[in-house]
Amino acid sequence: MTENTQQSNHSAPELPTQYTPADVEGPLYERWVERGYFTADAKSEKPPYTIVIPPPNVTGALHLGHAFQVTLMDALTRRKRMQGFETLWLPGMDHAGIATQNKVEQQLAEEGKSRYDLGREAFTERVWQWKDEYGGRILGQLRRLGAGLDWSRERFTMDEGLSRAVQTIFKNLYDDELIYRAERIINWCPRCLTAISDIEVDYQDDDGELVSLQYGEGDETVVVATTRVETMLGDTAVAVHPEDERYAHLIGKRIKLPLTNRTIPVVADAHVDPEFGTGAVKVTPAHDPNDFAIGQRHGLDTLTVMDERGVITASGPFEGLDRFEARSAIVAALREQGRVVAEKRPYVHSVGHCSRCKTTVEPRLSLQWWVKVDTLAKAAGDAVRDERVALHPKDMEKRYFDWVDNLNDWCISRQLWWGHRIPVWYGPDGEVVCVGPDEEPPSGEGWTQDEDVLDTWFSSGLWPFSTLGWPERTPDLAKFYPTDVLVTGHDIIFFWVVRMMMFGLYSMDEIPFKTVALTGLVRDEFGKKMSKSNPNAVDPLDWMDAYGSDAVRFTLARGANPGADVPIGEDWVQASRNFANKIWNATRFAMMNGATTEGPLPEASELSATDRWILSRLNATVAEVNALYDDFQFAKLSDTLYHFAWDEVFDWYVELSKTTFFAGGPAAEVSRRVLGEVLDVTLRLLHPVVPFVTETLWTTLTGRDSVVVAEWPADSGFRDAAAEQEIALVQQVVTEVRRFRSDQGLQPGQKVPARLDLSGTALAAHEAAMRSLLRLQPAADDFSTTASLPVAGATVALDLSGAIDVEAERKRLTKDLSAAEKEKAQALGKLGNEAFLAKAPEKVVDKIRGRLETAEADIVRISAQLAALPTA
């Protein structure tokens, strides 16, 4: 039981007969924003609770993955706000370098232009114009979903404050010798003309070809296999395992490289797997990351044979050909020389593609800027190991450590025009100067700024503290950092979570968040990944239009088991819509029958067993929901609330109390107050997940301003085991008699004469309610017991004469019993046949065992129904 401290208004307006989400959701959300419910106060003395939204791309639109994570974050922050925390949920967007630049370049292409026609400055201005006109539509869609974000603090990774933060940390890392420039192998997109991160590479199985080639002459030959024949022009060695006796005579010698005038060495390297293929591999250090590492170990030359567009640059007959054209031409030339030992096509293998334009990615040696991550990554790992940061679910820690403990240096430069330009200037005599935000860059003849921009993940890695004003020591930073929870998908734990950990610990000497709550991916109802290229992709806005935002939110939350993927189908959203309607209709019925939150809750001594039962269950539910929230068990807490509201409150308590309401008097007034209390608390518990329908119902029920700022329910400790046991007996009787009625073919509303022997039980006080629920009429003088049901220490005697055709029912049941017995005999026959069991697959045997169990259960059930039929 909870204390009501806010003023109540018993004469609240009547609810409409139907709940129409479209009429409610938009105006309600705007009212919440106008009243400042979501605006945090850095000067408040309340304890802080902070979540920063994973910034969606400025090019993005709301998809189910966004809706899923936003629903969970909104539920967390709404609950904490109601618990009395100064809650900040900070919104914003990522500038999304490649994605946004591609959008504007597509526009220019439609005009017959390229970015080079505009020049860098004009092109960047054009991108800002695109952002202002088309970008950020997802933020409006988040409002539609009901996201309680503090819009007064909205940030953008390219705004002035965040740009200052980016330049500051770059300068700090550079001065600490944690940023350097070097030639390394990177992922290169020949269409976007930039390095791209691992997360921007999509791998898929492509049909290619595996070609085995003979290098060398005479006794000094070796066969290598490759799927990228065109790179052989850049080979500078062949590598074999040092203990592979087949090639021991070749190690250290030089062999002829076909189609060239070069010879290359045979080197011994433990990286080579002697069991794979021929045990010999071609080494192309400028075009493969593993080959680059071998080249570094053996001091090999690096020959770049392709330009940034994937065109062959090696002098000779293949110069000027596209890489794929060159592949065919080179194979043909080698075939003419008799160098092709074997060809396998199609050869299905995993190939990386640019996630933006789908072009095949090319590993390429390139001069880039890098972050040295060893000390940063160690700090990020230690923060989880010493439990300053908790990963939830905990079993995700292994994946986290596997990544962070083996992290390679991070390529942070991108060959784009849209983004944070690298703050480094080069002088005419080879000078290199890194410039901080308060420093003037060098000027004069010959000084130029680096052309590259920073990887988008560089700026988003600062998100938890740059959005709060860092590098300035702002009141927001002092109040709201470190943040409390990061809700994000387990698929970007490596690319975003680790970078935020590294930068937060480096810049703030403090963790960026206390808990990382990792979610799975949203999939269709069959568990398949949703994709725009598949017919299973769903626009959540369509579902919100059809069923309301609450229905979409509740469906997503009810599927949210920590770290697990979330299947979702339209039928489930319809079911959630039905739940919202059930809440609406039941609350409307309760209010029409006088449910109230006015005045104090009666003492336990004034309550009926039914009242004590529902209040006991209410407080147990409050305790359970709180524990589940603290453990990020959204699916379980949603399911708990669903069954408590629908089953216990609406289907049992309201129904059991109807006779009391209709009888009137003091008992009815008590139950009306109890029902008001139960609805008040239940709506508050449901609010973080389904905010719109609960706001409408709660404010109407209580007459108060808003459930958004209402007090979160607390468990008063009230429990009544005796009342729970007593109502459990009532439920048992009602359930068993309902089942019997159904088995006998009675219609739900069909009334039947009955006598109830409740002596010696706690059921006597509930006879009127049970008769009402079971449609049982009082026994008349000519009552004849045709069926007697002993349940829970009571006896329910029924007179079914005239209610059913006994003989027809007996014939039907006898026929069903015969079929069940035949099914049992057949199953037993197969399971007793040793020859069958020896040959049949286990799945088939298990299926027959299941049929036997079903048949045996049917025999017991049907026999009981026959025995209960009236005798002649």
Side-chain angles (χ1 to χ4, degrees), residues 104-118 126:
V104 178
E105 288 196 84
Q106 289 167 10
Q107 275 191 344
L108 289 174
E110 293 172 1
E111 301 169 13
K113 299 177 182 178
S114 75
R115 58 173 159 146
Y116 301 102
D117 294 322
L118 272 66
R126 177 75 175 256

Side-chain angles (χ1 to χ4, degrees), residues 828-851:
L828 284 172
K830 288 186 176 181
L831 293 174
N833 185 335
E834 294 296 333
F836 171 78
L837 294 176
K839 295 180 180 179
E842 187 63 29
K843 287 184 179 179
V844 173
V845 176
D846 287 342
K847 187 175 181 179
I848 293 172
R849 290 193 182 107
R851 285 167 51 189

Side-chain angles (χ1 to χ4, degrees), residues 24-38 78 139-140 142-144 146-147 151 692:
V24 170
E25 294 175 349
L28 260 190
Y29 188 84
E30 293 309 315
R31 189 185 313 157
W32 290 335
V33 173
E34 289 167 6
R35 292 181 177 182
Y37 291 152
F38 306 141
R78 284 180 182 271
L139 298 182
L142 295 181
R143 290 172 174 259
R144 173 76 187 282
W151 296 107
F692 293 108

Side-chain angles (χ1 to χ4, degrees), residues 399-411:
R399 295 180 63 183
Y400 178 84
F401 292 134
D402 286 346
W403 178 260
V404 78
D405 293 345
N406 298 285
L407 199 60
N408 295 318
D409 285 0
W410 171 19
C411 177

Side-chain angles (χ1 to χ4, degrees), residues 548-566:
S549 298
D550 282 336
V552 174
R553 290 170 61 114
F554 192 73
T555 305
L556 291 166
R558 205 173 178 192
N561 290 297
D565 289 347
V566 183

